[in-house]
């Protein structure tokens, strides 16, 4: 098994990147000139040599904008830049304008580690917003802990981690994996599952947790398979699924492989609208559906905390601003929304701490809350994860999800659930 994948951007990804760049420039040109209020003296708010002056503070953005993961991570870059532009338009952080240094992880985990070190050691950024896959996060984690940086990580993930140098703005396993399986067994009467994923840390660990939960419920896993990132030939596993007739295909395929998988699933005659089998994914957001095509995933279900179709004023405003910035045809998925939260949570922690120093920002982070989040109210737990709701979306032909279920209350994050480690 290898987690190293040096992808080359496809023409469609290259076009999106060019459009993204043009849209971002247009948006920045349209922003009004902001008079930044005088903040506290730099000597008081930056005692550790970070890239902070009397007027500016530098942060990093580290995502894949090339390779197989660009289909998923481009939206995160866009959301983080949108948040930063909005913060700057409102006067910045402690009277300082945020300046961005962006690096490309290129869907390659050693490259992520290399770029993380650059952002912390050479650029001395005050925070980094980045990563998508667990493999990239695991690659950069020792770097952030060694050099005492702060990473805001936006992706739903397997849990089993709690670092003082990471704020996890996505969901962990109890909020997504366990809750999603509970829903499909209770509401759909599912008894048999086929587990499928891309071959790296997150899908394998997530399916390990899923299998334990399925078996605890007295149910059965009838198959389990993994394929390399960028894999495009799924006909053999689709034939195995048809032969074993599971009630649920539990799919954790990521990146560009999703396009091939869902198109081949439909071509093989599996009509997800009939729910025989039902497909439940924890990896396909509206961002991936842009590449897959809504007609190819129509009828599938997804367990996440955010869908673009959430009906609240925060979300309507956010989606409108996102489309205004990047194009009317753009969509917003779960990770994109969670990425948008990162700069706002960092700003709130810095201002609570009255300092950019990492140790002070870390100490100020638990209890930070946002009632302006598109998903609704969020709050940072002492374990650096967010309280959030679980929602189930039903994929529609237009590429959006119809929300068919959501928890009444926020779920407390528990990255180390007993019996699942």
């Amino acid at each position: 098994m290898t987690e190293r994948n040096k992808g080359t951007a496809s023409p469609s990804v290259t076009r999106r990147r060019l459009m993204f760049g043009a849209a971002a420039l247009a948006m920045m040109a349209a922003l009004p000139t902001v008079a930044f209020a005088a903040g506290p003296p730099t000597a008081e708010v930056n005692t550790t040599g970070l890239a902070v002056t009397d007027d500016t503070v530098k942060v990093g953005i580290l995502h894949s904008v090339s390779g197989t993961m660009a289909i998923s991570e481009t939206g995160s870059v866009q959301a983080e830049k949108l948040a930063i532009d909005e913060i700057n338009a409102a006067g910045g952080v402690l009277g300082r304008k945020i300046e961005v240094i962006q690096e490309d992880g290129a869907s390659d985990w050693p490259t992520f580690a290399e770029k993380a070190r650059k952002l912390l050691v050479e650029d001395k950024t005050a925070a980094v917003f980045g990563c998508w896959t667990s493999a990239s996060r695991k690659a950069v984690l020792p770097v952030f802990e060694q050099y005492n940086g702060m990473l805001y990580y936006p992706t739903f993930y397997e849990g089993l981690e709690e670092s003082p140098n990471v704020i996890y703005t996505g969901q962990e396993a109890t909020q997504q994996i366990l809750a999603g399986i509970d829903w499909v067994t209770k509401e759909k009467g599912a008894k048999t599952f086929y587990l499928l994923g891309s071959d790296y840390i997150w899908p394998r660990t997530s399916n390990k947790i899923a299998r334990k939960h399925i078996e605890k419920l007295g149910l059965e896993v009838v198959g389990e398979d993994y394929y390399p990132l960028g894999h495009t030939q799924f006909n053999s596993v689709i034939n195995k699924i048809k032969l074993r007739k599971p009630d649920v295909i539990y799919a954790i395929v990521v990146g560009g492989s999703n396009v091939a998988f869902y198109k081949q699933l439909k071509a093989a005659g599996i009509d997800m609208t009939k729910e025989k089998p039902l497909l439940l994914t924890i990896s396909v957001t509206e961002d991936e559906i842009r590449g897959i095509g809504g007609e190819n995933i129509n009828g599938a279900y997804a367990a996440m905390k955010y869908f673009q179709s959430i009906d609240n004023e925060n979300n309507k405003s956010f989606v409108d601003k996102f489309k205004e910035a990047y194009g009317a045809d753009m969509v917003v998925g779960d990770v994109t929304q969670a990425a948008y939260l990162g700069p706002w949570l960092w700003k709130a922690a810095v201002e609570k701490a009255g300092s950019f120093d990492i140790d002070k920002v870390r100490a100020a982070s638990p209890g930070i809350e946002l009632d302006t989040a598109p998903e609704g109210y969020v709050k940072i737990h002492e374990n650096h994860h967010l309280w959030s709701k679980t929602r189930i979306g039903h994929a529609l032909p237009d590429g959006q999800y119809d929300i068919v279920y959501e928890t009444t209350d926020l779920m407390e994050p528990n990255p180390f659930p007993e019996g699942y480690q």
Side-chain angles (χ1 to χ4, degrees), residues 28-218:
M28 292 178 69
L31 287 172
T33 301
V34 178
F36 289 87
T42 300
E44 293 181 6
V45 300
N46 176 30
T47 69
T48 58
L50 298 171
V52 180
T53 70
D54 289 345
D55 305 307
T56 64
V57 53
K58 287 185 170 64
V59 302
I61 287 179
L62 177 57
H63 287 289
S64 297
V65 294
S66 63
T68 190
M69 291 309 302
I71 187 176
S72 299
E73 296 191 58
T74 298
S76 297
V77 177
Q78 293 171 326
E80 287 154 1
K81 288 189 172 181
L82 176 61
I84 288 167
D85 287 336
E86 290 175 349
I87 291 169
N88 281 338
V93 182
L94 293 184
R96 289 157 174 85
K97 179 182 179 181
I98 304 172
E99 294 184 348
V100 173
I101 300 173
Q102 183 179 342
E103 296 292 346
D104 181 10
S107 304
D108 177 65
W109 323 139
T111 297
F112 268 93
E114 173 192 336
K115 297 299 185 180
R117 187 181 186 281
K118 173 188 175 293
L119 288 169
L120 296 181
V121 177
E122 297 179 23
D123 300 318
K124 301 186 184 302
T125 55
V128 177
F129 308 98
C131 299
W132 199 101
T133 65
S134 285
S136 64
R137 189 192 71 257
K138 290 292 189 184
V140 307
L141 186 59
V143 180
F144 278 87
E145 293 183 341
Q146 179 180 358
Y147 296 105
N148 198 28
M150 185 63 80
L151 173 68
Y152 288 77
Y153 176 67
T155 314
F156 34 66
Y157 85 116
E158 68 280 3
L160 308 183
E161 181 179 297
E162 181 184 333
S163 171
N165 295 89
V166 183
I167 300 293
Y168 306 82
T169 65
Q171 290 181 299
E172 45 74 33
T174 66
Q175 297 168 315
Q176 185 186 34
I177 298 169
L178 304 189
I181 291 172
D182 286 344
W183 174 84
V184 80
T185 54
K186 180 180 178 181
E187 298 298 326
K188 299 293 182 177
K191 292 182 171 54
T192 58
F193 295 74
Y194 200 110
L195 310 182
L196 179 66
S198 296
D199 196 358
Y200 72 98
I201 297 169
W202 176 54
R204 282 189 172 272
T205 308
S206 295
N207 275 336
K208 179 181 177 181
I209 293 169
R211 177 184 280 273
K212 284 186 176 181
H213 194 56
I214 290 164
E215 292 174 349
K216 278 188 175 185
L217 294 173

Side-chain angles (χ1 to χ4, degrees), residues 394-409:
H394 192 207
L396 303 175
D398 65 359
Q400 289 294 306
Y401 283 102
D402 177 35
I403 299 171
V404 297
Y405 169 80
E406 70 175 46
T407 53
T408 303
D409 299 318

